[in-house]
Each structure stands twice: as C-alpha cells, then as structure tokens.
Amino acid sequence: MTKATSRNTLTIEPDKSSLSGVALLRAFEQSFEGILVTDEQNLIIAANDAFSRMSGYLVEELIGKDPRILGSSRATPETYASMWQALASSDYWAGDIWNTHKDGSIYPCQLRIAVLRDTDGRAKNHVANFNTAITNHEAADRLAYLAYHDPLTNLPNRLAFESQLEQALHACERENRQLALMLIDLDNFKNINDTLGHQVGDQLLQNVALRLRECVRSSDLVARIGGDEFVVVLPEIESPLTAARVAGKIQSNLADSYQFGDHTLYATPSIGISLFPFDGNDPGTMLRNADTAMYHAKSAGRNNHQFYTARMNEAAGERLQMENELRQAISSISPSNCEFTLNFQPQIETKTGRVLGLEALLRWNNPKLGPISPARFIAIAEETGLIQPLGDWVIWETCRHIRNMKLEGITGIRVAINISAQQLRHDTLLQLVRGALACYDLLPDDIELEITESTAMQHPETTLSILDQLSSMGVMLAIDDFGTGYSSLAYLKHLPIQRLKLDRSFVTDIESDPNDAAICKATIALGHSLGLELVAEGVETEAQRDFLAKLGCDILQGYLYSKPMPFDETVAFLKAYQAAHP
Ligand code: C2E
Ligand code: CA
Ligand code: CA
C-alpha cells in the first residue's frame, strides 16, 4: 500500500482493484489514532489527520522532519535507548511517552512502533501509532510521576522544582511575602561514593532525602536537582531568621551518623541561601545566588550555611583572579624568582623528644594578593590540575633543601612531602622521585611521602601499583589526615605504608571530647596491631602531648614544638635542638 516515491514524500497508492488497499487507506486516513510513517533515514514520509490534530502540525509541516521534533525532554534518554534496542531486536516497541505539541505544551500518549523490512532484512519504514486517549489513568499518573520525580529518592526533580519555584515566586510577589531558597550540597559525598561504591552512595542519598523532608513543613518544597545537590524552598517566611533556623535544623539532622550495614557514615551539608525579594525574583537568579552562597559555605569550612550577599560575587571574582595568578606564578617558577617557598615543621619522637623528621609545607606569597593560605590555594590548584606541576616542584625543592641541610651538617632527618591525588595517578611520579633523589645525591630514606586517606582509596589499582613501586625503592609512606575518610581496614592492610597520621581534628579535643579520645585510642591501637607507627598532628598543649604519650602515640607534630618555619630558621632550630639533645 505504501510506496516511497522519493526520499521525503510518500504517496498512498491504493491498488484500486483491491478492496483491501482501499480499506487500508481509509483505515490510515480515518483512524482515531495518530499514525506516522518514516523512511530508512527515519524521516517522516506520511502522517494522518489524527496525528496532525494531536500534534498541532499540518501534515505538510511534518513531512521530511525527524520525529525527534515531537519528543519532549521528559522522556529520559534511557526510554529512547530501550525503544531503539527493542526495535532492532524484535521490530516492535510499545510504551508510554510524552510528546511536545506545536504550541509547546506536553501531552502523554501510548505509542506503538513497528518496523517494516525489505526482502534483505533492512529496515525500510517505521510505522508509529499514537494514542492519546489513555484510558489507563494509572499509566498517565505514572508518566506524570516519572516526569516530575527523581526515581532514587522519590523527591521532585529539577524540572518540577523549577516550575514550582516559579509559581511560588509569583505567589510571593502577589502577596508581598518573602521566600527562601536553600541549596544543599553534601560535603564528602564524592568521597563516600568513590570509596564505598554507588550502592552505599545511593542509600545515603535516600536517607538524606528522608531527613530533609523531616526538617521542613509539608507545604515546603524539597527536591533533588543533581547528584548530591538538594534544594529546599520555604515559600512563606516571616524573616530571614526563619530560614537560618531551618538551615540549622537541617545541618544538625544531616550531620547525625548514618548506619548502613557495617558502615557508620557522616555526611555534613554546606548550605547556600538566597531570599526573595532581596536576591532575585526568577528561579535562575535565585538558584545562581544560592549556589554562590553554597560555595561560600564550602570555603568557610563546610558544615555551615551562608546567606547570599552581593559581596559574594566579588569573592567569585577573587577566586578567578587567584586562579590566574596561580597559573602565572607556576609557569614562571625560576630559581631567581619564585613566589613559592617551603616551610618545615618538626616531628618529634614521643619517647625521647628527639627530632626525627620534618614536614615540608608549601607557601605562596603573591605580589598582588599577598600571602595566601595553603588551604585556599591548594584547593584551587587541585580543582584546576595545577597541583601537578606545583607538586612536582615541591618534590624537587624539598630534595634541594635536604641536600643543603646535609651540607650544613644536619643528618638523620627525614623530610615528609605531601602528595596530592592527581600526582599519584601517573607513573611520572616514580621517575620524578628517582630523578630528584639522584640529582641531589640523596637516599630514598631521606624522604617520606604523605598521601591523604581519601587519595589512597581512589583508583585502588593504579594507586596500589605506584605505592608498591615507591615502597620497593625504599621510600617511606604515610597516610595523612587519618580518620577523616572511610578507608576499609582490609584495603589499608594491603598498602605498603609505614605510618598513620592521626588527623588534627581528633587531637584538638582529645581531652574534652570522650569521642575524640576514644577514636585516638582505637586508631593508635589499630595502627600498632598492623605494625604501623602513629603520628599525631596539631599537638598544641602539654596536656595533649601527655594524653597522646599515654596512648602510646609514637611521633608528635604541632605548635607545641614549633610552627612551620622557613628553611634558615629550620636549620637553626635543628642545630639548637641537636645540641640540646646530643
Ligand atoms: P596537612 O598536610 O594536614 O598539614 C598540616 C597542617 O596543620 C599545616 O597547615 C600546618 O601548618 C598545620 N599545623 C601543624 N601543627 C599545628 C598545630 O599545632 N595547630 C594548628 N592549628 N595547626 C597546625 P598548612 O601549612 O596551612 O597546610 C594546610 C594543608 O595544605 C596541609 O595539611 C596539606 O593538606 C596542604 N599542603 C601543604 N603543603 C602542601 C604540598 O606541598 N602539597 C600538597 N599536595 N598539599 C600541601
Ligand atoms: Ca600532611
Ligand atoms: Ca594532615
């Protein structure tokens, strides 16, 4: 009955002598169902009136078009993928989808597609039947639900959030009310997802969703708009204080531990808040400003909330300027002109009080921006990939200083170098370490590399292989910031490490917080049972020192002994120390 006369047009040429041909043509023309036929390029070559009515397009407007113009963003890529898969394997697909009307509105329909093949088995045509009279309300409801909800958490998705926020903003404008939008990002979700797997990550997100719902009224909107990004809209607040109270409640609720099987997890939120009418009156601006505030919350140390202020845009500008200056400073490193220096902080043997080693800590002093805290610029260097060349420079510079220290007559001091995740991803690290040691005539035992717990857990295979090679060269390895990640003991046991550095956060409150004391005690015992040495960071008081000594901590580092010092001061410190402790 159908014959493609040219690529893009199809004439329905019923065989007049055959009753069935006429009947089929009638069926096509008069069907209540919309019917579309496409050619081998999947371009439309025929459409009936019912489809024209349904879609709002004239038949002529449809001919030659890709049926994709009819689709809507509500159908997920997965739906289309499974459709094409079914058509390839069984020549047939049926399902519920959303189409877009010519006027832009969206309508649900049941779609059936059949493939017609030529004698060689090549797909010639696709015939699609559309039925908008979905009698099955459940199917329609399900479609509506899927289009507007995140299947993992059952919360409204980004699409639903945007349209509801838009409505809420209109209502606030009419009724002269204030509204708060909170953007909530989990501080260490990526870490949990990377180290414990997506299943645990998914469970965590589901629990976060439940807790968020519990923190707000039923009339407030909670939605998930991205991986670990949630939003809460409070459509009726008396004053910003209400938003601050709710944010506080969300913080303390989410910060409580999560228990999944053997894992006890913690997931604190960083929250950015924008307010209507002060910070914007459309969803886009409101969200952008909440996002800026959220980044502010992150850089203010996470687990807190920040209100958007116009000043924050200046901060974003500062961040960009800092990135540019950092790029510039790294590309122009030279012996005579360098904005970077290293400071050194002593590590003390608990039992004897002897200085065993130093930790090299990077400093950046920019002529325009002044001295910048490493917490700040190292985060930027990591985000931008600049940490790679900068970290390489730290290795060389540390080795150069060790050489100079030896020339000053100081021996037996091992210097620890911080290594970031990106440096550990390439074998070049091995060549670099080998090269720097050889260049300054040092032994592998002269240095130690510190790798944070979360870094060690990323890309286990490459990491393990590189660490094994470093270790077999004779380089000592330490796990930094221990206790802040979620390393599995089973995995740690396989790493060729010699030291664990107990994170400063546990040491700070060791005397006042029984929890921290218990963690320190357990970590030290556990480390020892694995044959590892324990280093405590951030020891500031004698009481902390005594407490750690009692627990058997092997090495201490902190302001109690010395702040990180420039090289010359370090040499003087070591000489004086070695004279006093011969
Ligand atoms: P980190 O490796 O945990 O280094 C210890 C930090 O604690 C240092 O901060 C040190 O100055 C500080 N600290 C030491 N003792 C005390 C104490 O008793 N009390 C207090 N309040 N703080 C103490 P700094 O130098 O600001 O470095 C911050 C972070 O920057 C480092 O943390 C490390 O993660 C990173 N970093 C520093 N240098 C490098 C580097 O060369 N490469 C890489 N990848 N990261 C580096
Ligand atoms: Ca360190
Ligand atoms: Ca540390």
Side-chain angles (χ1 to χ4, degrees):
M1 175 200 85
T2 58
K3 182 177 135 226
T5 50
S6 74
R7 238 189 62 193
N8 285 342
T9 51
L10 176 98
T11 44
I12 310 281
E13 283 186 301
D15 178 354
K16 294 272 165 42
S17 62
S18 132
L19 183 63
S20 68
V22 176
L24 281 171
L25 179 58
R26 281 273 146 75
F28 176 79
E29 285 170 343
Q30 296 183 355
S31 167
F32 284 115
E33 288 196 347
I35 304 176
L36 271 190
V37 184
T38 62
D39 65 4
E40 51 275 69
Q41 262 86 39
N42 199 37
L43 299 176
I44 298 171
I45 50 173
N48 68 355
D49 288 344
F51 189 77
S52 169
R53 280 194 300 277
M54 186 182 287
S55 64
Y57 290 94
L58 297 172
V59 173
E60 303 88 272
E61 291 177 304
L62 290 165
I63 299 296
K65 300 278 164 36
D66 190 313
R68 232 180 299 180
I69 61 160
L70 305 163
S72 86
S73 58
R74 281 200 208 167
T76 61
E78 289 79 16
T79 308
Y80 287 120
S82 81
M83 175 173 107
W84 285 110
Q85 216 168 5
L87 290 176
S89 62
S90 56
D91 286 354
Y92 182 76
W93 181 82
D96 301 327
I97 61 151
W98 288 91
N99 271 356
T100 305
H101 190 273
K102 191 181 174 189
D103 68 12
S105 62
I106 288 171
Y107 59 97
C109 49
Q110 283 176 337
L111 170 59
R112 285 171 288 132
I113 307 179
V115 183
L116 304 181
R117 295 186 184 274
D118 64 12
T119 45
D120 296 330
R122 278 188 299 252
K124 283 295 280 179
N125 303 100
H126 287 94
V127 179
N129 289 59
F130 297 83
N131 185 351
T132 47
I134 298 186
T135 44
N136 182 345
H137 285 286
E138 253 177 48
D141 288 351
R142 203 180 68 242
L143 268 174
Y145 189 82
L146 283 178
Y148 278 119
H149 287 80
D150 158 41
L152 180 70
T153 59
N154 282 326
L155 289 179
N157 60 15
R158 189 175 193 113
L159 193 73
F161 153 70
E162 280 174 357
S163 81
Q164 289 182 45
L165 176 59
E166 178 141 33
Q167 285 168 22
L169 287 169
H170 283 315
C172 285
E173 200 151 21
R174 270 196 314 273
E175 292 155 31
N176 232 343
R177 282 191 275 118
Q178 294 184 15
L179 170 151
L181 167 65
M182 296 187 200
L183 182 64
I184 300 160
D185 187 280
L186 300 180
D187 292 330
N188 51 352
F189 179 74
K190 195 182 165 322
N191 194 356
I192 291 173
N193 218 30
D194 286 350
T195 56
L196 298 178
H198 294 289
Q199 243 174 340
V200 175
D202 284 355
Q203 264 181 311
L204 178 67
L205 292 174
Q206 286 168 337
N207 273 268
V208 166
L210 289 176
R211 291 190 190 182
L212 278 177
R213 261 293 19 142
E214 284 165 10
C215 290
V216 298
R217 296 192 224 157
S218 57
S219 54
D220 298 333
L221 170 67
V222 179
R224 177 175 173 231
I225 60 166
D228 61 340
E229 275 190 348
F230 295 85
V231 283
V232 168
V233 177
L234 309 177
E236 219 170 322
I237 53 168
E238 295 80 54
S239 74
L241 189 63
T242 319
R245 284 211 189 96
V246 175
K249 191 167 164 192
I250 288 175
Q251 260 166 258
S252 68
N253 242 298
L254 296 197
D256 261 352
S257 68
Y258 298 77
Q259 193 69 41
F260 306 127
D262 296 343
H263 302 295
T264 306
L265 303 185
Y266 296 88
T268 54
S270 292
I271 305 175
I273 307 172
S274 62
L275 299 170
F276 171 86
F278 315 106
D279 305 330
N281 55 10
D282 62 284
T285 312
M286 289 290 288
L287 195 58
R288 206 166 42 248
N289 289 342
D291 194 56
T292 303
M294 193 273 288
Y295 271 97
H296 235 70
K298 291 248 181 239
S299 54
R302 296 156 189 256
N303 194 18
N304 71 102
H305 64 265
Q306 298 284 329
F307 283 90
Y308 173 78
T309 64
R311 200 18 231 118
M312 287 179 179
N313 281 331
E314 287 169 37
E318 276 168 22
R319 156 83 175 63
L320 198 65
Q321 189 192 7
M322 194 173 284
E323 181 185 326
N324 289 336
E325 291 295 333
L326 189 60
R327 209 175 281 282
Q328 188 72 36
I330 292 170
S331 66
S332 59
I333 286 180
S334 74
S336 59
N337 168 29
C338 186
E339 296 175 23
F340 301 100
T341 49
L342 292 179
N343 273 4
F344 298 88
Q345 188 178 34
Q347 297 181 328
I348 313 292
E349 187 173 45
T350 316
K351 269 192 205 135
T352 60
R354 250 179 356 120
V355 181
L356 287 184
L358 302 166
E359 177 176 1
L361 293 157
L362 185 58
R363 296 292 175 261
W364 179 31
N365 193 352
N366 179 265
K368 281 188 216 149
L369 304 171
I372 299 143
S373 132
R376 192 111 204 255
F377 77 79
I378 285 177
I380 296 177
E382 283 182 338
E383 279 167 40
T384 51
L386 291 169
I387 194 69
Q388 185 96 40
L390 191 55
D392 290 355
W393 177 83
V394 171
I395 296 175
W396 276 92
E397 188 66 0
T398 305
C399 289
R400 189 174 72 84
H401 281 311
I402 300 175
R403 177 79 200 143
N404 287 340
M405 228 160 49
K406 290 192 174 186
L407 293 175
E408 294 272 354
I410 296 163
T411 52
I413 299 289
R414 189 185 290 123
V415 185
I417 305 169
N418 290 286
I419 300 292
S420 89
Q422 287 169 55
Q423 290 173 280
L424 251 194
R425 249 175 254 160
H426 304 282
D427 289 346
T428 44
L429 179 65
L430 296 163
Q431 290 152 23
L432 192 83
V433 168
R434 245 187 236 120
L437 291 176
C439 176
Y440 293 109
D441 201 14
L442 304 181
L443 298 170
D445 195 38
D446 288 324
I447 60 166
E448 170 178 335
L449 302 185
E450 294 189 5
I451 295 126
T452 63
E453 187 183 4
S454 51
T455 300
M457 297 296 292
Q458 285 171 25
H459 311 282
E461 266 163 42
T462 18
T463 303
L464 186 59
S465 141
I466 293 176
L467 293 186
D468 271 338
Q469 294 178 70
L470 285 167
S471 171
S472 48
M473 271 169 65
V475 175
M476 188 159 191
L477 300 172
I479 296 290
D480 202 356
D481 302 346
F482 187 73
T484 56
Y486 295 97
S487 32
S488 92
L489 194 55
Y491 176 65
L492 268 191
K493 253 182 3 196
H494 293 296
L495 295 179
I497 50 171
Q498 287 83 31
R499 283 185 174 164
L500 291 183
K501 294 192 77 176
L502 196 54
D503 191 64
R504 183 162 52 122
S505 57
F506 301 113
V507 174
T508 307
D509 296 323
I510 197 167
E511 308 148 89
S512 54
D513 186 336
N515 249 339
D516 283 350
I519 290 173
C520 285
K521 189 173 173 187
T523 307
I524 292 169
L526 180 107
H528 283 162
S529 75
L530 292 175
L532 304 174
E533 281 183 322
L534 265 295
V535 185
E537 306 182 311
V539 182
E540 294 185 357
T541 65
E542 288 177 4
Q544 289 167 347
R545 177 195 63 197
D546 295 345
F547 203 104
L548 287 157
K550 241 192 3 233
L551 296 180
C553 186
D554 308 277
I555 298 161
L556 306 172
Q557 179 182 349
Y559 294 173
L560 176 65
Y561 300 97
S562 168
K563 292 202 169 180
M565 305 167 275
F567 181 72
D568 292 346
E569 269 178 55
T570 307
V571 168
F573 177 93
L574 290 173
K575 283 183 174 166
Y577 216 89
Q578 290 189 341
H581 301 77

